[in-house]
Amino acid sequence: MTMERRNFLKLLGAGAGVATLGLAGCATTNKAGARKVVVIGGGYGGTIAAKYLRMQDPTIEVTLIERNDHFISCPFSNLYIGGLLPDLSSLTIKYDQLAANHGIKVVQAEVTGIDAKAHIVKTSAGDFPYEKCVVSPGIEFRTNEIKGYDDQIMPHAWKAGPQTVLLRKQLEAMKPGGTVVLSIPLAPFRCPPGPYERTSMIAMYLKQHKPGSKIIVLDANPDIVSKKGLFLKGWKKHYQGIIDYRPAKKVTEVDNKNMTVLIEGIEEVKGDVINIIPPQKAGHIAHVAGLVGPDGKWCPVRSFDFESRNHPDIHVIGDSSIAGAMPKSGYSANSEAKVCATNIVAMMNGRKMTEMSAINTCYSYLSATEAVSVTGVYRVNASSQAIEAVPGSVGVSADLSETEAMYAESWIKNILVEMST
Amino acid sequence: MRKKWSGLALAFVALVFSAAAYAVPPTAEILSYACAGCHGTNGASAGPSMPSLAGQSKVFFIDAMKKFKSGERSGTVMTRLVKGYSDEQIVAMADFFAKQKPAAQTTAVDPALVAQGKVVYDNACKRCHLENGKEFEEDTPVVAGQWLKYLQIQMGEFRDGKRKISEKKAEKVKSLTAAEWEAAAHFYASQK
Ligand SMILES: Cc1cc2nc3c(=O)[nH]c(=O)nc-3n(C[C@H](O)[C@H](O)[C@H](O)COP(=O)(O)OP(=O)(O)OC[C@H]3O[C@@H](n4cnc5c(N)ncnc54)[C@H](O)[C@@H]3O)c2cc1C
């Protein structure tokens, strides 16, 4: 017990007995897990949590568990779909340099469960005891809310990889004059401006390669969720007559044989290529591990260290977590991971925790050369303890910008280098 | 007995709230880590147009952030992001990045332009950007080893008036042609 902690407990007026009790909550119930942190998921959140844990305390043993031997970035995958990138290789990272540079143990395995009481992560490659566990598994789809859904026929392309390639192949194979249908779920979902960037990139592809084609956007939301003014401006400038945007149209059923979607079970829309982004929830493992809150979808966490409200010593970051005003984005996951890692290191060393400060920025491309951005700086509200935006820091670009497209290219490079080295 | 239990309960309540009371305001590290998603880990950018912040002059850094905040300096994202930070937090971050190890850019530069740029530098820049741009002095930033594309974007903004040039500097650089600016960019970027 450090000086600080002892003084703090004294300050609380706690007797010796209570001090022991208080410590029991922090100490690991599993000796084998002492000074070990297990990070689940090698994506935007997990890689950074593992790296910043080791950067700040190399005496902590960090194991990063990821089902794949590589990671493909969703950010910029819309540019591949639009034909601006030849393949996904520039969006793919490996883990070897990250592991070597920081002494992180990277294990390729499927996490099948977490025994919160015993402090053990269960995987296809065996058990991993921990003192603290960080969970960043991204999203899972609520496909049960779309009757008949089959992602091999109507891809989501909302997890980058084979799905992204499938959607591009379908677009390439479509006859000129065809119709693409894009279905957007009710918010909250991964990357609020993402579906509208996708709309722009598909429209750009159609304009260049499939004359006479159009894209019908069926948005379950009452309006464009993010950067509305800028998207409308870009669509008017570049894609007049190509984009048919329809708000408040929730797809509830699909007919794979007839390539038709059904809105609220009644209105039919036909397409040659159909891209369905299903409604979402926290990654599967978060549900299995009992980390999901009363909404049955997302994981409630404490604002400054992202500790689960359901289980002590398990921290949930990234898309799976409910991070107050922070949107579900790669930048958010990166920033949350650093706050989480810093405070885990503090706790494991008996130091004071620090209030969170985090950033989100999402770039979206409107054309081959123009992008726009949304920014925000986030903090903890002193009275409600909720994560809120710092007033004035949230805003969007003044206009479509070629300079921002140049900076956006550097952003993806920097964030992927940060994750992989 | 009863008293003992209520005492315990009280202690539990205190423990539940303890974490909040236990947290200190954001440190320089927590604030600065958030910038790295764009500017690179510890401010060492992987390029090609995002500026490195590692090893930058503290005075220039604070000045730049203040100018982004007031709108005196144009920007894309910085003019918005900066509004999320107090003056004290900006100073803390300036301090953090000034202490980080600088990393030189790795884009190929044109040797002919580097040579021409050296002439431009000696004539028009040397007085303020000391030691081939490696040294900073007060509000004059380190420019040596900065990413080429960033220097080009910023020089473009100086040229067409988007980014203000001080009167003292304007005197020295107002007659420069676009080609001379370009050469100077290659010269600075070539410095390690
Ligand atoms: C088209 C599109 C565009 C986007 N554009 C942007 C953008 O421009 N900017 C931005 O900031 N964000 C963007 N995003 C959002 C961004 O992709 C996510 O917010 C981000 O990936 C979330 O990070 P995460 O760590 O929560 O999950 P992920 O990055 O998805 O990482 C989760 C990892 O966990 C692994 N995993 C899950 N479960 C298990 C298990 N049981 N066992 C082992 N491994 C497991 C997965 O394989 C995966 O590698 C975009 C998203 C999409 C779909």
Side-chain angles (χ1 to χ4, degrees):
Chain A
M1 194 165 22
T2 68
M3 226 18 229
E4 258 166 24
R5 184 155 190 107
R6 209 175 310 154
N7 285 343
F8 163 69
L9 287 167
K10 249 193 216 146
L11 250 169
L12 277 177
V18 179
T20 321
L21 242 173
L23 263 183
C26 303
T28 166
T29 25
N30 183 326
K31 278 238 173 69
R35 293 203 78 72
K36 287 184 181 154
V37 180
V38 175
V39 180
I40 302 172
Y44 271 84
T47 51
I48 296 298
K51 171 170 168 170
Y52 277 73
L53 280 163
R54 292 283 301 176
M55 266 170 61
Q56 295 181 78
D57 188 347
T59 70
I60 296 173
E61 191 182 315
V62 176
T63 306
L64 175 64
I65 307 179
E66 161 63 46
R67 67 163 67 99
N68 300 309
D69 69 347
H70 66 282
F71 174 77
I72 305 177
S73 165
C74 281
F76 271 60
S77 65
N78 284 332
L79 278 71
Y80 164 78
I81 291 167
L84 296 179
L85 296 174
D87 52 46
L88 293 170
S89 62
S90 61
L91 305 181
T92 304
I93 59 165
K94 295 257 183 191
Y95 301 106
D96 44 338
Q97 279 190 57
L98 180 75
N101 293 350
H102 301 281
I104 297 162
K105 286 192 183 164
V106 179
V107 175
Q108 190 184 346
E110 178 76 24
V111 176
T112 51
I114 307 173
D115 185 336
K117 222 179 195 160
H119 284 60
I120 291 171
V121 170
K122 308 252 174 206
T123 84
S124 57
D127 289 358
F128 293 85
Y130 65 82
E131 185 170 336
K132 302 275 178 192
C133 177
V134 180
V135 184
S136 192
I139 51 157
E140 206 40 77
F141 298 111
R142 281 144 52 199
T143 43
N144 59 317
E145 292 177 27
I146 299 177
K147 214 169 135 196
Y149 183 70
D150 180 346
D151 67 7
Q152 294 308 304
I153 296 165
M154 302 179 183
H156 51 76
W158 219 241
K159 290 184 185 179
Q163 277 281 303
T164 320
V165 175
L166 177 61
L167 179 57
R168 174 154 151 174
K169 286 216 168 109
Q170 289 184 350
L171 287 170
E172 285 169 351
M174 190 179 83
K175 62 179 194 307
T179 300
V180 179
V181 173
L182 170 62
S183 156
I184 304 173
L186 271 178
F189 51 79
R190 155 179 280 187
C191 195
Y196 312 101
E197 180 187 57
R198 164 117 1 128
T199 303
S200 312
M201 289 291 100
I202 292 179
M204 179 187 72
Y205 178 80
L206 298 179
K207 188 177 169 182
Q208 280 176 356
H209 300 283
K210 305 283 169 180
S213 304
K214 61 175 181 172
I215 173 168
I216 299 172
V217 181
L218 303 173
D219 194 341
N221 298 285
D223 208 342
I224 294 174
V225 172
S226 175
K227 306 176 192 165
K228 179 185 168 191
L230 291 164
F231 279 115
L232 290 178
K233 193 168 182 180
W235 293 354
K236 197 166 166 199
K237 179 175 173 189
H238 296 292
Y239 313 118
Q240 282 271 46
I242 299 176
I243 298 173
D244 176 355
Y245 176 78
R246 303 179 189 174
K249 300 284 182 192
K250 187 162 136 196
V251 170
T252 48
E253 194 175 334
V254 297
D255 179 344
N256 293 308
K257 258 215 195 101
N258 294 307
M259 286 300 279
T260 304
V261 302
L262 267 170
I263 297 157
E264 307 283 7
I266 32 173
E267 190 184 342
E268 273 189 16
V269 180
K270 245 176 134 40
D272 299 294
V273 171
I274 301 179
N275 174 196
I276 297 218
I277 306 167
Q280 295 153 33
K281 59 185 177 185
H284 181 65
I285 188 65
H287 295 262
V288 174
L291 300 169
V292 169
D295 69 357
K297 297 174 187 132
W298 309 104
C299 307
V301 294
R302 191 162 68 172
S303 55
F304 38 93
D305 61 351
F306 291 84
E307 187 180 59
S308 165
R309 295 275 183 201
N310 296 2
H311 292 298
D313 299 328
I314 301 180
H315 301 247
V316 186
I317 56 172
D319 289 350
S320 283
S321 69
I322 303 172
M326 292 187 78
K328 297 187 187 304
S329 77
Y331 206 109
S332 293
N334 171 293
S335 207
E336 290 161 14
K338 292 164 179 173
V339 170
C340 173
T342 304
N343 277 328
I344 284 180
V345 169
M347 274 185 282
M348 287 177 73
N349 289 290
R351 286 201 309 266
K352 281 186 182 167
M353 278 203 270
T354 302
E355 277 171 33
M356 68 97 70
S357 171
I359 292 180
N360 171 59
T361 304
C362 279
Y363 287 106
S364 305
Y365 276 72
L366 272 300
S367 69
T369 54
E370 296 158 311
V372 296
S373 62
V374 59
T375 58
V377 178
Y378 298 87
R379 68 177 179 201
V380 172
N381 179 295
S383 53
S384 71
Q385 290 297 309
I387 297 173
E388 64 175 12
V390 184
S393 69
V394 175
V396 297
S397 315
D399 207 340
L400 316 190
S401 158
E402 295 193 2
T403 309
E404 287 226 74
M406 274 193 274
Y407 284 132
E409 256 180 69
S410 288
W411 167 73
I412 190 69
K413 172 136 196 242
N414 269 285
I415 203 158
L416 290 177
V417 166
E418 180 163 68
M419 289 161 68
S420 59
T421 61
Chain B
M1 190 59 196
R2 242 182 108 159
K3 212 170 156 206
K4 205 167 159 194
W5 276 111
S6 67
L8 259 176
L10 240 170
F12 264 122
V13 171
L15 275 165
V16 168
F17 284 101
S18 69
Y22 208 42
V24 298
T27 55
E29 281 75 18
I30 276 224
L31 293 165
S32 308
Y33 287 163
C35 319
C38 282
H39 288 288
T41 304
N42 293 334
S45 170
S49 63
M50 203 59 83
S52 277
L53 303 176
Q56 189 51 279
S57 149
K58 199 176 153 180
V59 177
F60 163 74
F61 187 111
I62 294 167
D63 201 50
M65 295 292 270
K66 282 199 174 142
K67 284 176 176 162
F68 282 135
K69 213 181 217 176
S70 69
E72 188 186 331
R73 182 170 164 189
S74 63
T76 52
V77 289
M78 287 313 299
T79 42
R80 287 172 265 148
L81 287 170
V82 74
K83 297 199 178 108
Y85 301 97
S86 68
D87 291 351
E88 293 76 38
Q89 289 176 326
I90 288 171
V91 171
M93 291 190 283
D95 211 32
F96 175 90
F97 285 111
K99 282 190 215 137
Q100 305 303 317
K101 208 170 126 227
Q105 68 117 26
T106 53
T107 316
V109 284
D110 180 332
L113 285 180
V114 172
Q116 287 169 35
K118 168 81 174 138
V119 178
V120 177
Y121 170 78
D122 284 340
N123 289 335
C125 323
K126 198 177 182 166
R127 224 186 74 208
C128 306
H129 295 282
L130 308 174
E131 299 290 330
N132 294 340
K134 284 181 215 161
E135 292 280 305
F136 57 80
E137 194 180 50
E138 299 194 340
D139 61 343
T140 310
V142 176
V143 281
Q146 187 55 280
W147 285 92
L148 178 62
K149 205 147 181 194
Y150 182 68
L151 292 172
Q152 289 168 332
I153 294 173
Q154 294 304 313
M155 286 178 181
E157 293 192 353
F158 281 135
R159 248 187 3 255
D160 48 53
K162 262 205 211 150
R163 190 170 164 187
K164 242 172 58 191
I165 303 183
S166 70
E167 271 173 40
K168 232 175 31 187
K169 179 164 171 176
E171 236 172 71
K172 281 272 179 194
V173 302
K174 64 173 181 252
S175 59
L176 290 190
T177 63
E180 284 169 317
W181 278 109
E182 176 68 6
H186 279 256
F187 171 71
Y188 281 150
S190 73
Q191 301 298 309
K192 305 265 152 162

